Amino acid sequence: MAELLSVGSIGFDSVKTPFGKVTKAIGGSASYSSIAASFFVPTAVSSLAGKDFTQKHRRIFEDRGIDTSCLMIHPKKKTLSWKAHYGFDINDAKTDKIQLNAFADFVPNLSDELKQTPFLFLANGDPEQQMAVLKQMKKKPRLSVCDTMNFYIQKKPMQVKEMVRTADIGLMNDAEARMLFNTSNLVKCAKEILKLDSRYAIIKKGENGVVLFSNNSFFALPGFALENVKDPTGCGDSFAGAFLGFLAQTGDLDEANVRRALVTASAVASFNAEDFSFNRLLSLTQTEIRQRVREFRKIVLF
Amino acid sequence: MAELLSVGSIGFDSVKTPFGKVTKAIGGSASYSSIAASFFVPTAVSSLAGKDFTQKHRRIFEDRGIDTSCLMIHPKKKTLSWKAHYGFDINDAKTDKIQLNAFADFVPNLSDELKQTPFLFLANGDPEQQMAVLKQMKKKPRLSVCDTMNFYIQKKPMQVKEMVRTADIGLMNDAEARMLFNTSNLVKCAKEILKLDSRYAIIKKGENGVVLFSNNSFFALPGFALENVKDPTGCGDSFAGAFLGFLAQTGDLDEANVRRALVTASAVASFNAEDFSFNRLLSLTQTEIRQRVREFRKIVLF
C-alpha cells in the first residue's frame, strides 16, 4: 500500500535549452514528484492524462513500483501539452504554449485505499481543488504538503492562503512567497506562512538553495553548484517528492530530520537538472543520492 | 603601521529605502571596506574627497585607528555625491544621480610606508587604475584582492580580466561574473576566474550568500536571513574589508581559513544592512561578530 500520494498534473513537455531539446517527453508535477518520492517509499500518483498517454508511458511509473490506479485517462482529449524554452538564464522557463487538454477536466477522485495515504503531496494546482483532495481523505494524513504557483497567487490569493492554512506545510519558491505576502523580505514571508499554521515555512530558492523557518529557528542550505545543467524542468517537483518521500521513509518530523530531508531533496533535485525530462532520475541510484548528501556536508563545512 | 590598505572611493550618499532615508552620509567603497577591516587589523585608506569633507568626517576614520594619511582632499571640487533609492526589492539600488566631482581626478599616490602594506584591497574602480596601484607597491602584497562592477565590465572587459589576473583574488558578484564571462552558469564563471590565476574564485550573491571555488573544492555559505534590512548600501564593500581584515589578522591563507574569513565577512556585512550608511558598523562589537558567526554554524547544521 502506498505511503505517499502525489496529486498533480501529467503532461507532455517539449523543452529547448541551450544544451539541447526534448520533444513530447513526459512531464508534469505529479510525474516528477512521484518518481522522486519512489526512491524512498511506495508511492501513488493521482492525475488525468489524455488518450495519447499509452501503456508504455504508464509502465515507466509502474516499473518504479508507483501505484497508477488513480492515474486516469480522458477518453476523448489529449494529454496536457507544454512547450517552453530556457535562454541565457537557465533558471527561467519561458512558456511558448500551454494546452491543458484533458487536465482541464481533472477532478481528483481517490480510491478508498488512497484516501488513507499518510503522506500527501498536493502539487501546484487550483487551491480549491487542492483543498477538495484533503477533504476526501478518510483520515487526516500524517503530513500534507501543498505547492502553489504565481498563476493561482495572482488569481486566488485568499484561497492559496487558506490552502496553506489547511495543509501542514505550504511550499513555495521565493518569488511566489514575495508575491503572496507582498514583501520582498523572506523572513517576513516566512513569518506569514507560519501564521497560517504551517508547521514549517520552507522557501525554495532554485539554484540558491532552500531556507526553512520554524517559530524559533532558521536553517539555510545553499544550492549544489552544477556545471552542467541541461534542463531544470521539474526540479521543484522532484524536490518536493524527495522531501516528502524521505520524511515518509524515516517517519520523523522533528526539525533535525526535516533539515536532513531538505538536503536529500536538494540532492535529488540537483540530479534532475543534469538531463532532460526525468531521465536522470530514472538512472539515479541510492548510492549516488547518499554520495551527494555527503558532498553537501563538505560544501557547507567551516 | 597599517597591515591592510583599502583604495577606493569616498562619497556622500543620499539614500532612500522603504524604511527611511539618509542625506549626505559618508559612503563609498573605501569607507565601508576600511571601517569593516578596522575590526581586525590596523587599516589605511587611500581616496580623494572634496573640500566639503571636513575634519569631523576624517575623525570618524581616525577614531577607529584608520590611517588617513593618503585620504586626500581636492582643493576645489566637492566630494563624490550619490543619490539612490531602493524599492520593493531592497537588494536592488536604483541610482538617481551620481556626480563624481573630486573623485574624477583620483590618481592613487601612495606614501612610501603604505607601498609596503601586506594586504591590499582594490575596491571597484577603473581596472587600469587598479593595476597602477599594484605597480606602485614596493613589494608584492601578501594578498591583493580586487573588486569590479558592471560599468567597467561593459566598458573595459579585457582590462578587468587583466586586473583579475594580476591580483591574487578577483572578487565579484554573480551578475558581474555572468556578464564578464558571458555565461549564466556560476561554476563556469568560477573556472574562468581560476584560469586567470586567481587563487580562489569568490562570487558574492547578496542575500543568497557567497560561493568559493578553488581548483578542487567548492564552499557555499547561505546568506544570513535578516528581518530588518534598513539599507544594504556598502554591504559588498564591508564584506570585502572584513574578509581581507580577517585574513590579515589570522595570517593564514589556506582554504579552511578562507572559509572562516568568508563567514566572518558575511556576518559583518549582514550587520551593515541593519542601519543606514555605516552606522551599524560604528556601534558593532567583536562579541556581536563572534555571536553571529556562531549563529551561522547553527543555520547550516544538518
Side-chain angles (χ1 to χ4, degrees):
Chain A
M1 206 174 117
E3 288 181 47
L4 190 157
L5 168 64
S6 173
V7 184
S9 64
I10 283 190
F12 286 128
D13 295 350
S14 295
V15 170
K16 208 173 155 183
T17 82
F19 310 102
K21 64 174 181 170
V22 77
T23 308
K24 281 199 77 179
I26 305 177
S29 56
S31 301
Y32 284 99
S33 55
S34 65
I35 288 171
S38 70
F39 283 96
F40 304 96
V41 283
T43 298
V45 61
S46 163
S47 190
L48 180 59
K51 56 186 179 164
D52 49 352
F53 189 88
T54 64
Q55 275 301 323
K56 198 188 78 188
H57 296 123
R58 184 182 294 271
R59 214 167 298 129
I60 293 171
F61 295 84
E62 291 180 344
D63 283 351
R64 300 190 60 85
I66 296 171
D67 174 349
T68 67
S69 60
C70 285
L71 197 178
M72 304 304 180
I73 302 294
H74 197 293
K76 292 185 179 154
K77 294 187 177 177
K78 293 210 291 185
T79 300
L80 181 155
S81 154
W82 183 61
K83 192 165 177 267
H85 70 275
Y86 297 81
F88 179 79
D89 182 357
I90 191 81
N91 296 299
D92 188 22
K94 306 281 187 200
T95 293
D96 299 313
K97 195 177 181 185
I98 183 157
Q99 295 172 292
L100 289 178
N101 300 331
F103 194 68
D105 300 344
F106 180 44
V107 180
N109 192 358
L110 303 178
S111 64
D112 281 349
E113 194 184 307
L114 291 186
K115 282 177 185 164
Q116 302 178 55
T117 317
F119 288 82
L120 177 63
F121 178 54
L122 301 163
N124 88 63
D126 186 303
E128 291 169 294
Q129 196 170 80
Q130 290 175 310
M131 277 188 279
V133 173
L134 254 181
K135 277 194 193 121
Q136 277 184 46
M137 300 305 283
K138 260 193 185 161
K139 54 179 177 183
K140 192 182 179 312
R142 186 142 178 242
L143 188 70
S144 56
V145 174
C146 67
D147 196 2
T148 188
M149 69 181 291
N150 49 9
F151 177 78
Y152 297 108
I153 291 172
Q154 284 170 322
K155 224 172 162 179
K156 300 182 170 185
M158 297 314 294
Q159 291 90 331
V160 169
K161 287 182 185 173
E162 198 47 41
M163 175 68 243
V164 172
R165 190 190 296 282
T166 310
D168 297 309
I169 295 179
L171 205 60
M172 54 194 89
N173 69 33
D174 43 3
E176 290 158 358
R178 287 176 167 129
M179 190 188 286
L180 184 57
F181 301 110
N182 197 31
T183 170
S184 70
N185 187 290
L186 289 186
V187 184
K188 286 179 183 158
C189 290
K191 288 200 169 176
E192 293 296 325
I193 295 172
L194 292 172
K195 271 190 214 162
L196 294 171
D197 297 330
S198 194
R199 185 159 173 171
Y200 300 103
I202 297 171
I203 301 175
K204 300 177 287 176
K205 299 167 79 178
E207 67 162 348
N208 293 313
V210 60
V211 289
L212 161 77
F213 296 80
S214 70
N215 281 317
N216 48 31
S217 75
F218 167 53
F219 170 66
L221 183 74
F224 188 86
L226 285 175
E227 183 166 3
N228 294 307
V229 173
K230 270 196 185 162
D231 176 11
T233 304
C235 282
D237 294 309
S238 304
F239 177 91
F243 171 68
L244 215 58
F246 182 90
L247 289 176
Q249 185 187 45
T250 53
D252 173 0
L253 303 183
D254 283 350
E255 192 188 324
N257 198 52
V258 170
R259 290 184 177 209
R260 286 189 285 270
L262 290 174
V263 178
T264 305
S266 300
V268 172
S270 72
F271 280 114
N272 180 64
E274 292 180 359
D275 202 351
F276 284 89
S277 183
F278 45 65
N279 291 333
R280 185 65 183 90
L281 296 187
L282 296 184
S283 70
L284 185 63
T285 66
Q286 299 283 354
T287 310
E288 287 175 310
I289 297 174
R290 280 194 300 269
Q291 171 62 21
R292 190 152 289 182
V293 169
R294 278 195 296 272
E295 284 172 47
F296 261 113
R297 287 194 193 281
K298 287 188 204 160
I299 284 170
V300 301
L301 193 71
F302 67 87
Chain B
M1 206 175 116
E3 288 182 45
L4 191 157
L5 168 64
S6 174
V7 184
S9 64
I10 282 189
F12 286 128
D13 294 350
S14 296
V15 170
K16 208 173 154 183
T17 82
F19 310 103
K21 64 174 182 170
V22 77
T23 309
K24 282 199 77 179
I26 304 178
S29 57
S31 301
Y32 284 99
S33 55
S34 64
I35 288 172
S38 70
F39 282 96
F40 304 96
V41 284
T43 298
V45 61
S46 164
S47 190
L48 180 60
K51 57 185 178 163
D52 49 352
F53 189 88
T54 64
Q55 276 301 324
K56 198 187 79 187
H57 297 123
R58 185 181 293 270
R59 213 167 298 131
I60 293 170
F61 295 85
E62 291 180 344
D63 282 350
R64 300 189 59 85
I66 297 171
D67 174 349
T68 67
S69 59
C70 284
L71 197 179
M72 303 303 181
I73 301 294
H74 197 292
K76 291 184 182 155
K77 293 187 178 178
K78 293 211 291 187
T79 300
L80 180 154
S81 152
W82 183 60
K83 192 164 176 266
H85 69 275
Y86 297 81
F88 180 79
D89 182 357
I90 191 79
N91 296 298
D92 188 22
K94 305 283 187 200
T95 293
D96 300 312
K97 194 176 183 185
I98 183 156
Q99 294 172 291
L100 289 178
N101 300 331
F103 195 68
D105 300 344
F106 181 43
V107 181
N109 192 359
L110 303 178
S111 64
D112 281 350
E113 193 182 307
L114 291 186
K115 282 177 185 165
Q116 303 179 55
T117 316
F119 287 81
L120 177 64
F121 178 54
L122 301 163
N124 88 64
D126 186 304
E128 291 169 295
Q129 195 169 79
Q130 290 175 310
M131 277 189 280
V133 174
L134 254 181
K135 276 193 195 121
Q136 277 184 44
M137 300 305 282
K138 262 193 182 159
K139 55 178 179 184
K140 192 182 177 311
R142 184 141 181 243
L143 188 70
S144 56
V145 174
C146 67
D147 195 2
T148 186
M149 69 182 290
N150 50 9
F151 177 78
Y152 297 108
I153 291 172
Q154 283 170 323
K155 223 171 165 182
K156 300 183 169 185
M158 297 315 293
Q159 291 89 331
V160 169
K161 286 181 185 173
E162 198 46 40
M163 175 68 244
V164 172
R165 191 189 295 282
T166 310
D168 296 310
I169 295 179
L171 204 61
M172 55 194 88
N173 69 34
D174 42 3
E176 290 158 357
R178 287 177 167 128
M179 190 189 284
L180 184 57
F181 301 110
N182 196 31
T183 170
S184 70
N185 187 290
L186 290 186
V187 183
K188 286 179 182 156
C189 290
K191 288 198 169 177
E192 293 297 325
I193 295 173
L194 292 171
K195 270 190 214 161
L196 293 171
D197 297 331
S198 194
R199 186 160 174 170
Y200 300 102
I202 297 171
I203 301 175
K204 299 177 288 176
K205 299 168 80 177
E207 65 161 350
N208 293 313
V210 60
V211 288
L212 161 76
F213 297 81
S214 70
N215 281 315
N216 48 31
S217 75
F218 167 53
F219 170 66
L221 183 74
F224 188 86
L226 284 176
E227 183 167 2
N228 294 308
V229 173
K230 270 197 185 162
D231 176 11
T233 304
C235 282
D237 293 308
S238 305
F239 177 90
F243 172 68
L244 215 57
F246 182 91
L247 290 176
Q249 184 187 45
T250 52
D252 172 1
L253 303 183
D254 282 351
E255 191 188 324
N257 198 51
V258 171
R259 289 185 176 207
R260 285 189 286 270
L262 291 174
V263 179
T264 305
S266 300
V268 172
S270 72
F271 279 114
N272 180 65
E274 291 180 359
D275 202 351
F276 283 89
S277 182
F278 45 64
N279 291 334
R280 186 65 183 89
L281 296 187
L282 296 185
S283 69
L284 186 62
T285 65
Q286 300 283 355
T287 309
E288 287 176 310
I289 297 174
R290 281 195 299 269
Q291 170 61 21
R292 191 153 287 182
V293 168
R294 277 196 296 273
E295 284 172 48
F296 262 114
R297 287 195 193 280
K298 287 189 204 160
I299 284 170
V300 302
L301 192 72
F302 67 87

